[in-house]
Amino acid sequence: MSPTAGPETPFALTAVPVARLPIPGWEAFFGENDTSFHDLYFYVWLVRDGVRTGLIDLGLPPAVEDRIALDRACQGVDPRSRFHDVRLLPQVLDDLGVRGEDIDFVLLTQTITYHTGGLDATLLPRATVYVPHAGVREMLCAPPGHPPTAFYFTAPAWSALRDLAVAGRLVVTDGPVTVAPGLVFETTGGHHPGSAGVRVRTAHGVVGLLETAFFARNVAEELPIGIAEDAATCRRVIKEYRRSCDEVVALHDPGNAQRFRSGSAAPPPAAPRQQGVLRP
């Protein structure tokens, strides 16, 4: 697309898998005694419209000790729950052919280290970073048990937040806030208080990216995730996104890499929906 693209130019999305975490089904599907294992995928999303280039989430931390600590925490549920196939942010950017200095914005859909681990102000020297206020507040003012406070940012990521704040490139908000025309970031809650969603206008309509849904089934059945801190909020948010978006995507679904590859937009939904409207 031309660098003179106007404000109505749709965004294109690319989902790059950066980790896989097997979890028991009862963690994913509320009220079900499902002890079989399902692969939860973590992604870094590339968002661009020909003028702006951004990322949604930053993957796992580069330090081995931080990733080991994450594995140990997950294995507190089951020894089989540990991260596989980890790819770090510098490798993702190389694979995408994108330089860190090309990134205009970063949207973090959780403050947990499996989403914020790649936060590095020097790697992303121009990016403005959007963080859910509720996720920071939960860490500082109401320490959670799920997960422990130690997993809300790594030490280097916390230092990066300070650098970003000093440079005027940190936005701590619960939103909804318009990052760019056709792109809205907001805290949704449900999974964690600081879980966030992103609404993106694409060539096929408004795509809602929802962290508080793990799998496509959560969206299709309006079924809260099993480990939701607030199941009622989880269900309400899924319903709201289904009403206001043309397509709703569960951020950890295994099919996202295939559906959103090489800067594609989501395919048209199987059944017509009311045209999505971005909230200001």
Side-chain angles (χ1 to χ4, degrees), residues 7-234:
E8 300 304 318
T9 303
F11 284 90
L13 295 167
T14 304
V16 181
V18 294
R20 175 175 60 87
L21 177 68
I23 63 168
W26 58 261
E27 287 196 273
F29 307 118
F30 183 76
E32 297 190 5
N33 185 24
D34 181 359
T35 57
S36 62
F37 270 66
H38 305 255
D39 282 340
L40 203 66
Y41 276 76
F42 293 76
Y43 298 91
V44 169
W45 295 74
L46 179 68
V47 189
R48 51 187 168 186
D49 67 354
V51 174
R52 308 165 189 85
T53 299
L55 300 174
I56 301 173
D57 295 328
L58 297 174
L60 274 66
V64 173
E65 57 270 26
D66 287 325
R67 298 202 301 275
I68 289 173
L70 269 178
D71 276 341
R72 286 176 178 162
C74 293
Q75 287 174 315
V77 173
D78 188 284
R80 291 168 287 183
S81 288
R82 64 180 184 85
F83 287 93
H84 301 264
D85 309 324
V86 174
R87 301 168 72 201
L88 302 177
L89 184 60
Q91 179 186 351
V92 170
L93 294 177
D94 285 346
D95 291 347
L96 289 168
V98 176
R99 303 174 305 166
E101 53 266 38
D102 296 331
I103 304 301
D104 297 300
F105 59 84
V106 172
L107 312 179
L108 296 173
T109 65
Q110 265 199 52
T111 50
I112 315 304
T113 56
Y114 44 56
H115 283 216
T116 63
L119 184 59
D120 181 340
T122 60
L123 178 62
L124 305 167
R126 294 181 49 254
T128 297
V129 176
Y130 292 75
V131 179
H133 185 202
V136 178
R137 189 168 61 244
E138 181 184 26
M139 171 192 170
L140 295 177
C141 304
H146 164 229
T149 307
F151 298 102
Y152 283 66
F153 302 109
T154 62
W158 188 252
S159 178
L161 288 178
R162 178 189 181 278
D163 293 342
L164 289 163
V166 170
R169 294 192 288 116
L170 179 65
V171 179
V172 182
T173 179
D174 284 327
V177 59
T178 299
V179 178
L183 182 65
V184 172
F185 174 81
E186 64 181 329
T187 302
T188 61
H191 178 194
H192 297 285
S195 293
V198 183
R199 307 187 200 216
V200 188
R201 190 174 299 283
T202 74
H204 296 292
V206 176
V207 175
L209 303 176
L210 200 54
E211 196 285 323
T212 203
F214 284 175
F215 296 111
R217 181 186 166 200
N218 295 113
V219 174
E221 299 180 15
E222 297 178 351
L223 177 65
I225 61 175
I227 53 173
E229 291 194 12
D230 187 335
T233 294
C234 187

Side-chain angles (χ1 to χ4, degrees), residues 220-264:
E221 299 180 15
E222 297 178 351
L223 177 65
I225 61 175
I227 53 173
E229 291 194 12
D230 187 335
T233 294
C234 187
R235 182 182 289 110
R236 176 183 57 77
V237 167
I238 293 172
K239 285 176 177 287
E240 178 191 341
Y241 267 60
R242 292 192 72 192
R243 284 194 303 268
S244 63
C245 300
D246 298 293
E247 194 77 13
V248 182
V249 177
L251 269 186
H252 298 292
D253 192 84
N256 289 342
Q258 178 63 25
R259 291 186 61 235
F260 297 91
R261 62 187 187 279
S262 301
S264 65

